[in-house]
Amino acid sequence: STVTYLFEGEILHRDSLGSAQPIRPGELNWMTAGRGIVHSERTDPEKRDHAQRMYGIQSWVALPKSAEDTAPAFAHHDAATLPFIEDGGLSMRLIAGEGWGLKAPAAVSSPLFYADAVLLPGARLPLPAEHEERGAYVVEGSVEVAGTVFDAGRMLVFRAGDALALTAGPRGARLLMLGGATMDGPRYLFWNFVASSRERLEQAKADW
């Protein structure tokens, strides 16, 4: 599944299911490729007459082996439908999954969490304890974890069970928090194809 989330700008999603959905900051586009889909994400032709900034991240979520050949699907969720909290210098939107006592509306195939967190200087964000694998991508600013400072562009991966919190640095921080259940085996990638075996990957290439 591809998970598209923007901080600035707008992009138009189209796919072979007939979807034509703009995505704007704070909204969620969740597309499940399953046994096969074709899609594009481009600037709407009507908006190409002037320069604009586009800033966001697309993440890929591996489907469990039992769901690899599921039917392709697409879902869009407006920002207003995604859980949002503000507390002690923390503003956080739960994009997908469950964490921190919140649950997002997007249908997922395995236990996970994905959140956009903005922290004022000195604000703290604990890791959700209920997930086995947990990580944080530092989008902006810096954070301190157990005495070590990490700047923007770093991906942090934490050990299972560690009760840790991230503290924003003097310029604050913006983080994408993510994780969930351990995958049921390795995944192989070629171009836009992902599969649990090299044989499935070769078949996908042949089908394409």
Side-chain angles (χ1 to χ4, degrees), residues 130-147:
E130 65 268 35
H131 292 282
E132 185 175 3
E133 294 194 343
R134 300 163 302 168
Y137 178 71
V138 186
V139 179
E140 298 172 1
S142 64
V143 293
E144 180 267 325
V145 183

Side-chain angles (χ1 to χ4, degrees), residues 23 32 40-41 94 97 120 123 126 136 163 165 168 171 173 193 197:
I23 181 171
T32 296
S40 67
E41 288 169 316
L94 187 66
L120 296 179
R171 294 173 290 124
F193 301 131
S197 71

